Amino acid sequence: MRALRTLPHQWCVVSDRICGPDFTVEPGTIVVEGDHIAWVGLGDTEVPAQFRDAPTYHFGDALISPGFIDLHVNGGGGGDFQTATPRAITQALHAHLRGGTTSLLAALNSTTHDQRCASLEGLKSWLRDETSPHPLGGVYLEGPYYNPQERGAHEEQLLHPPDPAEYAPLLDSFGDLIKIWSLAPELPGALQFIHALRDRRIIAAVGHSAANYEEVLAAVEAGLSLVTHLYCAQSTFHRRGARKYLGVAETALLETRLTVEIIPDGKHLPPEFTRLILRNKPPEQVCVTTDAMLAAGLDEGQYEFLGTTVLVE
């Protein structure tokens, strides 16, 4: 926003590569008025008369796209949302703004109830006090209602089935802030919890789960609609004795009511996995997310995250 204040109120951007509808990339022109986009013309479309006197900036073959929306971000730039100090929040948001993300959800991982309350209170206070434009759109809670069999980086001693005595006060205090809550739907009490989230208009997601097809389907019927980082820390096809079962991943590809997150960085998902997902899910049901942590955007070095040493090389 600061950069825009140095430019005229109305100006044009020209590039050989502008992202348009339906994932097309074409030459074109974008007209900016103040801090918003007033008009986009792709191909040979002529600039409307009222914009033709605006100064024009040529960007060659630079790729220009709408701002990214990232549903699942733990942190970046040395800051993480779990710490939830003003400095940590600002560090993380600035790191992702530099990468083109203009809207994100702050992810909080499994922790103690008191620490979760402190993190949520820190984020709530920051949002209340912050007056300048920013990308923070709410909170994405992971766990602690996860299956230890698929815990990933979550500490096993923190994981347990949903407990109304624990989650009900959080929903009462922070229900407007929480946008997504991820859980393992096969755990006792999970369906009741999903109903509680649905009543609050909070998206219920399946993640870190060993559920089979029937268990995921029951959760979908209860209101679950999102899959946390598909193919990462969740069940896939398996056998129990002579019987074969679909896991969370296959159910996500099969069930049309489920939207999926993917981390298509070539490591969380090899490229062939991404192709498999896009063959089975329409683009509007695939959310590209980073699941980035505090070391994102930092120089090479050694960092700590969820009790694990992380190397940036």
Side-chain angles (χ1 to χ4, degrees):
M1 300 300 297
R2 287 193 297 272
L4 287 179
R5 294 190 187 112
T6 66
L7 293 167
H9 174 70
Q10 189 180 89
W11 49 287
C12 299
V13 176
V14 176
S15 173
D16 293 335
R17 297 195 302 155
I18 294 178
C19 294
D22 303 320
F23 307 97
T24 59
V25 177
E26 303 177 51
T29 303
I30 298 171
V31 177
V32 179
E33 282 190 319
D35 59 1
H36 70 278
I37 292 172
W39 180 84
V40 178
L42 299 178
D44 297 328
T45 306
E46 287 192 13
V47 176
Q50 68 267 33
F51 302 132
R52 288 176 190 162
D53 292 334
T56 299
Y57 299 84
H58 294 267
F59 285 83
D61 65 350
L63 180 65
I64 300 178
S65 79
F68 300 126
I69 299 170
D70 196 340
L71 296 183
H72 194 157
V73 184
N74 301 284
D80 73 285
F81 295 116
Q82 196 126 324
T83 303
T85 62
R87 174 180 170 82
I89 295 168
T90 301
Q91 281 180 302
L93 294 179
H94 283 179
H96 289 282
L97 275 170
R98 286 194 296 271
T101 297
T102 54
S103 182
L104 62 80
L105 296 183
L108 301 181
N109 291 284
S110 298
T111 186
T112 64
H113 181 70
D114 288 346
Q115 178 57 55
R116 173 151 286 181
C117 288
S119 299
L120 287 166
E121 190 58 55
L123 287 160
K124 186 176 182 179
S125 297
W126 188 91
L127 281 168
R128 184 176 58 243
D129 297 338
E130 183 61 32
T131 57
S132 61
H134 60 79
L136 183 57
V139 171
Y140 186 129
L141 294 184
E142 283 209 74
Y145 312 134
Y146 278 160
N147 192 321
Q149 294 178 45
E150 297 286 354
R151 67 184 185 87
H154 294 256
E155 296 181 48
E156 184 171 359
Q157 67 270 22
L158 295 171
L159 307 182
H160 55 272
D163 180 0
E166 181 180 65
Y167 65 70
L170 289 177
L171 294 177
D172 288 339
S173 298
F174 305 104
D176 292 341
L177 181 64
I178 301 166
K179 305 303 179 184
I180 300 173
W181 199 327
S182 178
L183 70 143
E186 71 274 18
L187 297 179
L191 298 185
Q192 177 186 351
F193 177 48
I194 293 169
H195 282 292
L197 295 178
R198 184 185 63 187
D199 290 345
R200 298 276 186 157
R201 301 178 65 85
I202 295 170
I203 294 171
V206 50
H208 293 268
S209 166
N212 59 33
Y213 172 78
E214 287 81 8
E215 290 165 331
V216 177
L217 204 62
V220 171
E221 294 292 343
L224 185 140
S225 60
L226 181 66
V227 179
T228 300
H229 43 53
L230 183 59
Y231 279 109
C232 298
Q234 58 195 222
S235 57
T236 57
F237 166 80
H238 57 281
R239 300 183 185 189
R240 294 177 189 167
R243 189 172 176 187
K244 301 177 180 69
Y245 293 86
L246 298 183
V248 171
E250 293 83 11
T251 306
L253 298 180
L254 183 62
E255 176 53 55
T256 59
R257 290 172 289 179
L258 286 172
T259 295
V260 302
E261 301 172 14
I262 63 172
I263 313 173
D265 58 1
K267 295 185 181 297
H268 288 84
L269 283 184
E272 60 271 21
F273 275 51
T274 302
R275 292 201 302 271
L276 173 66
I277 294 164
L278 294 175
R279 287 280 182 90
N280 287 273
K281 304 295 288 188
E284 61 269 19
Q285 286 190 296
V286 179
C287 301
V288 174
T289 185
T290 61
D291 200 6
M293 41 78 74
L294 61 88
L298 294 182
D299 294 332
E300 291 190 1
Q302 182 172 303
Y303 306 94
E304 299 296 320
F305 179 67
L306 295 180
T308 300
T309 299
V310 178
L311 298 177
V312 176
E313 297 179 343

PDB file of all heavy atoms in Angstrom, residues 274-286:
ATOM      1  N   THR A 274       0.273 -34.361  -7.716  1.00  0.00           N
ATOM      2  CA  THR A 274      -0.497 -33.173  -8.076  1.00  0.00           C
ATOM      3  C   THR A 274      -1.318 -33.424  -9.333  1.00  0.00           C
ATOM      4  O   THR A 274      -2.497 -33.047  -9.411  1.00  0.00           O
ATOM      5  CB  THR A 274       0.438 -31.971  -8.270  1.00  0.00           C
ATOM      6  OG1 THR A 274       1.172 -31.747  -7.053  1.00  0.00           O
ATOM      7  CG2 THR A 274      -0.347 -30.721  -8.627  1.00  0.00           C
ATOM      8  N   ARG A 275      -0.721 -34.065 -10.321  1.00  0.00           N
ATOM      9  CA  ARG A 275      -1.464 -34.380 -11.552  1.00  0.00           C
ATOM     10  C   ARG A 275      -2.633 -35.312 -11.254  1.00  0.00           C
ATOM     11  O   ARG A 275      -3.728 -35.146 -11.812  1.00  0.00           O
ATOM     12  CB  ARG A 275      -0.527 -35.019 -12.583  1.00  0.00           C
ATOM     13  CG  ARG A 275       0.531 -34.066 -13.127  1.00  0.00           C
ATOM     14  CD  ARG A 275       1.082 -34.541 -14.463  1.00  0.00           C
ATOM     15  NE  ARG A 275       1.675 -35.886 -14.370  1.00  0.00           N
ATOM     16  CZ  ARG A 275       2.943 -36.118 -14.055  1.00  0.00           C
ATOM     17  NH1 ARG A 275       3.763 -35.108 -13.774  1.00  0.00           N
ATOM     18  NH2 ARG A 275       3.408 -37.348 -14.011  1.00  0.00           N
ATOM     19  N   LEU A 276      -2.420 -36.298 -10.386  1.00  0.00           N
ATOM     20  CA  LEU A 276      -3.501 -37.218 -10.008  1.00  0.00           C
ATOM     21  C   LEU A 276      -4.661 -36.461  -9.374  1.00  0.00           C
ATOM     22  O   LEU A 276      -5.835 -36.693  -9.709  1.00  0.00           O
ATOM     23  CB  LEU A 276      -2.959 -38.276  -9.034  1.00  0.00           C
ATOM     24  CG  LEU A 276      -4.003 -39.210  -8.402  1.00  0.00           C
ATOM     25  CD1 LEU A 276      -4.638 -40.108  -9.456  1.00  0.00           C
ATOM     26  CD2 LEU A 276      -3.365 -40.051  -7.292  1.00  0.00           C
ATOM     27  N   ILE A 277      -4.340 -35.539  -8.472  1.00  0.00           N
ATOM     28  CA  ILE A 277      -5.387 -34.773  -7.789  1.00  0.00           C
ATOM     29  C   ILE A 277      -6.166 -33.925  -8.783  1.00  0.00           C
ATOM     30  O   ILE A 277      -7.407 -33.886  -8.771  1.00  0.00           O
ATOM     31  CB  ILE A 277      -4.762 -33.898  -6.685  1.00  0.00           C
ATOM     32  CG1 ILE A 277      -4.176 -34.792  -5.578  1.00  0.00           C
ATOM     33  CG2 ILE A 277      -5.795 -32.931  -6.103  1.00  0.00           C
ATOM     34  CD1 ILE A 277      -3.216 -34.066  -4.656  1.00  0.00           C
ATOM     35  N   LEU A 278      -5.453 -33.243  -9.700  1.00  0.00           N
ATOM     36  CA  LEU A 278      -6.126 -32.364 -10.649  1.00  0.00           C
ATOM     37  C   LEU A 278      -6.903 -33.132 -11.711  1.00  0.00           C
ATOM     38  O   LEU A 278      -7.773 -32.565 -12.378  1.00  0.00           O
ATOM     39  CB  LEU A 278      -5.104 -31.432 -11.303  1.00  0.00           C
ATOM     40  CG  LEU A 278      -4.453 -30.425 -10.351  1.00  0.00           C
ATOM     41  CD1 LEU A 278      -3.376 -29.628 -11.061  1.00  0.00           C
ATOM     42  CD2 LEU A 278      -5.495 -29.494  -9.745  1.00  0.00           C
ATOM     43  N   ARG A 279      -6.603 -34.407 -11.877  1.00  0.00           N
ATOM     44  CA  ARG A 279      -7.426 -35.248 -12.767  1.00  0.00           C
ATOM     45  C   ARG A 279      -8.751 -35.618 -12.103  1.00  0.00           C
ATOM     46  O   ARG A 279      -9.714 -35.975 -12.790  1.00  0.00           O
ATOM     47  CB  ARG A 279      -6.666 -36.539 -13.102  1.00  0.00           C
ATOM     48  CG  ARG A 279      -5.509 -36.370 -14.073  1.00  0.00           C
ATOM     49  CD  ARG A 279      -5.973 -36.305 -15.521  1.00  0.00           C
ATOM     50  NE  ARG A 279      -4.843 -36.187 -16.428  1.00  0.00           N
ATOM     51  CZ  ARG A 279      -4.203 -37.234 -16.965  1.00  0.00           C
ATOM     52  NH1 ARG A 279      -4.595 -38.469 -16.669  1.00  0.00           N
ATOM     53  NH2 ARG A 279      -3.192 -37.040 -17.782  1.00  0.00           N
ATOM     54  N   ASN A 280      -8.789 -35.557 -10.766  1.00  0.00           N
ATOM     55  CA  ASN A 280      -9.960 -36.037 -10.039  1.00  0.00           C
ATOM     56  C   ASN A 280     -10.773 -34.936  -9.361  1.00  0.00           C
ATOM     57  O   ASN A 280     -11.922 -35.172  -9.004  1.00  0.00           O
ATOM     58  CB  ASN A 280      -9.526 -37.055  -8.978  1.00  0.00           C
ATOM     59  CG  ASN A 280      -9.123 -38.384  -9.575  1.00  0.00           C
ATOM     60  OD1 ASN A 280      -9.953 -39.262  -9.792  1.00  0.00           O
ATOM     61  ND2 ASN A 280      -7.831 -38.538  -9.860  1.00  0.00           N
ATOM     62  N   LYS A 281     -10.188 -33.764  -9.162  1.00  0.00           N
ATOM     63  CA  LYS A 281     -10.892 -32.666  -8.509  1.00  0.00           C
ATOM     64  C   LYS A 281     -10.917 -31.461  -9.438  1.00  0.00           C
ATOM     65  O   LYS A 281      -9.882 -31.114 -10.043  1.00  0.00           O
ATOM     66  CB  LYS A 281     -10.203 -32.259  -7.192  1.00  0.00           C
ATOM     67  CG  LYS A 281     -10.027 -33.380  -6.190  1.00  0.00           C
ATOM     68  CD  LYS A 281     -11.349 -33.920  -5.664  1.00  0.00           C
ATOM     69  CE  LYS A 281     -12.037 -32.969  -4.727  1.00  0.00           C
ATOM     70  NZ  LYS A 281     -13.238 -33.608  -4.086  1.00  0.00           N
ATOM     71  N   PRO A 282     -12.052 -30.779  -9.571  1.00  0.00           N
ATOM     72  CA  PRO A 282     -12.082 -29.564 -10.395  1.00  0.00           C
ATOM     73  C   PRO A 282     -11.267 -28.464  -9.725  1.00  0.00           C
ATOM     74  O   PRO A 282     -11.109 -28.455  -8.495  1.00  0.00           O
ATOM     75  CB  PRO A 282     -13.574 -29.210 -10.436  1.00  0.00           C
ATOM     76  CG  PRO A 282     -14.158 -29.839  -9.216  1.00  0.00           C
ATOM     77  CD  PRO A 282     -13.373 -31.086  -8.966  1.00  0.00           C
ATOM     78  N   PRO A 283     -10.723 -27.530 -10.494  1.00  0.00           N
ATOM     79  CA  PRO A 283      -9.859 -26.492  -9.911  1.00  0.00           C
ATOM     80  C   PRO A 283     -10.508 -25.726  -8.766  1.00  0.00           C
ATOM     81  O   PRO A 283      -9.825 -25.337  -7.811  1.00  0.00           O
ATOM     82  CB  PRO A 283      -9.566 -25.575 -11.102  1.00  0.00           C
ATOM     83  CG  PRO A 283      -9.706 -26.444 -12.301  1.00  0.00           C
ATOM     84  CD  PRO A 283     -10.801 -27.421 -11.967  1.00  0.00           C
ATOM     85  N   GLU A 284     -11.819 -25.506  -8.854  1.00  0.00           N
ATOM     86  CA  GLU A 284     -12.472 -24.734  -7.795  1.00  0.00           C
ATOM     87  C   GLU A 284     -12.553 -25.494  -6.472  1.00  0.00           C
ATOM     88  O   GLU A 284     -12.926 -24.923  -5.449  1.00  0.00           O
ATOM     89  CB  GLU A 284     -13.868 -24.288  -8.230  1.00  0.00           C
ATOM     90  CG  GLU A 284     -14.839 -25.416  -8.539  1.00  0.00           C
ATOM     91  CD  GLU A 284     -14.796 -25.822 -10.004  1.00  0.00           C
ATOM     92  OE1 GLU A 284     -13.802 -25.519 -10.702  1.00  0.00           O
ATOM     93  OE2 GLU A 284     -15.779 -26.444 -10.456  1.00  0.00           O
ATOM     94  N   GLN A 285     -12.188 -26.787  -6.465  1.00  0.00           N
ATOM     95  CA  GLN A 285     -12.161 -27.555  -5.224  1.00  0.00           C
ATOM     96  C   GLN A 285     -10.742 -27.927  -4.802  1.00  0.00           C
ATOM     97  O   GLN A 285     -10.547 -28.826  -3.997  1.00  0.00           O
ATOM     98  CB  GLN A 285     -13.000 -28.831  -5.366  1.00  0.00           C
ATOM     99  CG  GLN A 285     -14.501 -28.570  -5.358  1.00  0.00           C
ATOM    100  CD  GLN A 285     -15.288 -29.867  -5.266  1.00  0.00           C
ATOM    101  OE1 GLN A 285     -15.244 -30.714  -6.143  1.00  0.00           O
ATOM    102  NE2 GLN A 285     -16.016 -30.010  -4.173  1.00  0.00           N
ATOM    103  N   VAL A 286      -9.757 -27.206  -5.340  1.00  0.00           N
ATOM    104  CA  VAL A 286      -8.351 -27.424  -4.979  1.00  0.00           C
ATOM    105  C   VAL A 286      -7.777 -26.100  -4.479  1.00  0.00           C
ATOM    106  O   VAL A 286      -7.768 -25.111  -5.210  1.00  0.00           O
ATOM    107  CB  VAL A 286      -7.534 -27.938  -6.173  1.00  0.00           C
ATOM    108  CG1 VAL A 286      -6.071 -28.126  -5.773  1.00  0.00           C
ATOM    109  CG2 VAL A 286      -8.108 -29.252  -6.684  1.00  0.00           C
TER     110      VAL A 286
END
